[in-house]
Amino acid sequence: MYSIPTLETERVILRAPKIEDWPEYSELMMSERSVFMGGPFSLAAAWGLFCHDVAQWALMGFGALMIEERRSGQCLGQVGVNSGPLFPEYELGWLIYSHAEGKGFAYEAALALKRWAYHERKLETLVSYVDPLNIRSRSLAERLGAKLDAAAPRQDPTDLVYRHPFE
């Protein structure tokens, strides 16, 4: 059994999901904003995804962490490492709520979790699966130093696969 870490950066705290995060998470996942993640999702499917994000910690030693702004305590979104039958490789993923977009929070959180995954969990590789039309996520992957890997396996043949360098 693995414990869920708390990671801290200059502006954010990455922490375990809690039930108080559910309303804003479900709102995003049931909206058109989730289209690049396979949505919009039904309420039941959004709940399943939320629970999946937590369950991975017990099953695999990684999963999702909520991004909380240090100054305000407001939840800004989520960053996670995914694996299992839905992911050919370990995936670094993120979602950010509209009120936090464009402020560098997703970059700061993803960079911290990427470093944790490589240094603490000793993962040898991380990729991000990105819809080609999701320009913001493509830009974030590139800002994180990831490079396109056309030969990488993917569940969705239309996804781009960005491979993250070890740091």
Side-chain angles (χ1 to χ4, degrees):
M1 192 69 135
Y2 297 93
S3 62
I4 301 176
T6 299
L7 308 177
E8 298 188 23
T9 71
E10 182 180 332
R11 297 186 305 150
V12 298
I13 298 169
L14 306 180
R15 57 152 177 87
K18 50 189 179 182
I19 196 62
E20 292 82 9
D21 299 322
W22 166 245
E24 196 166 18
Y25 178 93
S26 64
E27 182 180 318
L28 170 68
M29 299 308 276
M30 293 188 302
S31 77
E32 286 298 319
R33 290 194 69 237
S34 70
V35 70
F36 295 129
M37 297 177 278
F41 298 94
S42 68
L43 180 65
W47 177 248
L49 291 167
F50 189 79
C51 293
H52 166 271
D53 292 339
V54 176
Q56 282 196 104
W57 285 107
L59 297 172
M60 296 180 214
F62 43 78
L65 296 172
M66 303 312 286
I67 306 167
E68 183 176 292
E69 185 181 21
R70 274 183 178 278
R71 185 179 46 79
S72 68
Q74 184 177 32
C75 188
L76 307 173
Q78 182 188 79
V79 64
V81 174
N82 296 295
S83 186
L86 303 179
F87 301 91
E89 295 189 62
Y90 296 108
E91 184 215 21
L92 176 64
W94 49 79
L95 61 87
I96 198 83
Y97 299 140
S98 61
H99 61 81
E101 279 186 342
K103 299 175 183 171
F105 292 119
Y107 171 79
E108 193 171 325
L111 183 61
L113 187 59
K114 177 175 88 164
R115 288 177 175 159
W116 176 88
Y118 279 140
H119 296 283
E120 299 300 319
R121 286 290 285 123
K122 308 292 187 211
L123 298 184
E124 293 183 12
T125 185
L126 276 172
V127 299
S128 291
Y129 302 106
V130 181
D131 185 295
L133 300 177
N134 191 342
I135 302 304
R136 292 186 84 112
S137 279
R138 291 177 65 180
S139 295
L140 179 53
E142 291 167 6
R143 186 172 174 211
L144 289 163
K147 303 288 185 214
L148 282 171
D149 183 348
R154 64 204 81 210
Q155 183 182 26
D156 182 337
T158 65
D159 278 347
L160 298 174
V161 181
Y162 283 89
R163 187 161 304 281
H164 294 273
F166 181 86
E167 50 174 278

